[in-house]
């Protein structure tokens, strides 16, 4: 049986916990064949992003052509864009219908604190996005706010859907009951929440990348949006639990993408 092909367009993480590396691990773990277009090269580990080098838009163009001219891509995950020129290169393919099941993780700031993307670059893609997956801080930034309170998540998601995406999932939203983590999905049909156990761990590097990559993989495999989001929520929870006690690096470590210890 031939696997479905999923494309990730994102930055490279030399520590391999997030970005392209996390996406490819997620695709493989979920039974999809991963292809990649690198938008930026970062020097980073579990403690910090030390440097970021944006890949020139012409090189991103070449990578996109190489993948799309040879592979039948069933879904696309977009992460770090880096520059507006790169965002436009991606948007051109999206406008032409060449990036199906487009899932956008608006990577604006690394979990280690360094700003990695620009709101303007993300906004170029919003009209073509099937599922947008911001965390609360990213959703606030896209709406020009400093922060979102617990009671503002649904309204923020609705405003973001009005900007073009077919669906918005705000991750790490309302905490729900003690010990629970709740994400909120908003579509034109309204709100739906997904709740799971909150995993207490400092090893959370790449959580957003992994979630969005899992949504893309499941869309490629035929899930509807709600099914894909629910599956991704469970997958990330298991990956967090599996890597909960790892000591990989000296800072915020990675997830257990392959279920070695979940």
């Amino acid at each position: 049986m031939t696997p479905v092909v999923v494309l990730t367009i994102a930055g490279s993480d030399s520590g391999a916990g997030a970005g392209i590396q996390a996406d490819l691990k997620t695709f493989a773990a979920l039974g999809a064949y991963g292809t990649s277009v690198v938008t930026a090269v970062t020097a980073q580990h579990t403690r910090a992003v030390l440097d970021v080098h944006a890949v020139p838009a012409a090189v991103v163009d070449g990578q996109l052509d190489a993948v799309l001219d040879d592979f039948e891509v069933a879904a696309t995950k977009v992460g770090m864009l880096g520059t507006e020129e790169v965002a436009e290169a991606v948007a051109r393919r999206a406008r032409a219908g060449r990036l199906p099941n487009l899932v956008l993780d608006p990577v604006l700031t690394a979990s280690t604190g360094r700003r990695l993307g620009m709101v303007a670059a993300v906004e170029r893609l919003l009209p073509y996005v099937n599922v947008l997956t911001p965390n609360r801080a990213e959703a606030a930034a896209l709406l020009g706010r400093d922060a979102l309170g617990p009671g503002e998540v649904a309204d923020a998601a609705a405003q973001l859907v009005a900007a073009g995406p077919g669906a918005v999932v705000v991750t790490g939203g309302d905490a729900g009951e003690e010990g629970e983590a709740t994400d909120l999905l908003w579509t034109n049909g309204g709100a739906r929440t997904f709740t799971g156990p909150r995993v207490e761990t400092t090893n959370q590097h790449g959580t957003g990348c992994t979630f969005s990559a899992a949504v893309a993989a499941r869309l490629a495999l035929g899930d509807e949006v709600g099914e894909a989001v629910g599956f991704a929520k469970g997958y990330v929870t298991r990956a967090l639990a599996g890597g909960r006690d790892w000591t990989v690096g000296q800072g915020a470590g990675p997830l257990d993408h392959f279920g070695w210890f979940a």
Side-chain angles (χ1 to χ4, degrees):
M1 180 176 176
T2 301
V4 295
V5 176
V6 186
L7 168 62
T8 171
I9 304 170
S12 171
D13 172 6
S14 51
I20 288 280
Q21 289 82 353
D23 294 345
L24 292 176
K25 284 187 250 186
T26 301
F27 298 159
L30 301 185
Y33 182 84
T35 57
S36 61
V37 168
V38 180
T39 60
V41 177
T42 70
Q44 66 176 294
H45 45 45
T46 59
R47 289 175 291 154
V49 178
L50 306 172
D51 200 5
V52 178
H53 173 72
V55 173
V59 178
V60 173
D61 261 325
Q63 294 177 79
L64 285 164
D65 286 342
V67 172
L68 297 175
D69 289 349
D70 190 45
F71 296 90
E72 186 176 345
V73 172
T76 306
K77 177 264 171 82
V78 175
M80 178 182 175
L81 289 163
T83 68
E84 289 189 59
E85 292 77 15
V86 166
E88 179 54 32
V90 177
R92 282 200 303 274
R93 273 63 177 203
R95 280 195 296 270
R98 303 191 71 192
L99 301 178
N101 289 315
L102 179 56
V103 178
L104 175 59
D105 176 20
V107 179
L108 300 176
T109 305
S111 58
T112 48
R114 178 157 177 166
R115 194 165 181 84
L116 296 176
M118 299 181 301
V119 169
V122 171
E123 288 175 338
R124 284 180 181 265
L125 283 173
L126 292 183
Y128 317 109
V129 170
N130 292 80
V131 185
L132 180 70
T133 66
N135 58 32
R136 275 173 60 175
E138 291 161 345
L142 290 171
L143 293 171
R145 304 186 194 176
D146 292 331
L148 292 179
E152 299 176 310
V153 174
D155 177 66
Q159 289 186 55
L160 288 170
V161 164
V168 172
V169 186
V170 181
T171 61
D174 294 339
E177 300 295 328
E178 184 177 354
E180 294 183 341
T182 299
D183 299 338
L184 183 139
L185 168 66
W186 187 280
T187 65
N188 287 328
R192 179 178 174 186
T193 56
F194 296 82
T195 299
R198 185 174 295 280
V199 179
E200 298 299 334
T201 178
T202 59
N203 294 331
Q204 300 176 330
H205 185 51
T207 305
C209 301
T210 299
F211 177 81
S212 55
V215 171
R218 291 303 302 186
L219 290 176
L221 290 165
D223 281 2
E224 298 295 330
V225 169
E227 294 175 307
V229 169
F231 184 96
K233 172 76 170 174
Y235 173 69
V236 170
T237 300
R238 294 190 298 274
L240 284 165
R244 181 193 338 237
D245 299 318
W246 285 6
T247 305
V248 178
Q250 301 172 51
L255 314 186
D256 178 8
H257 289 91
F258 293 104
W260 292 322
F261 301 104

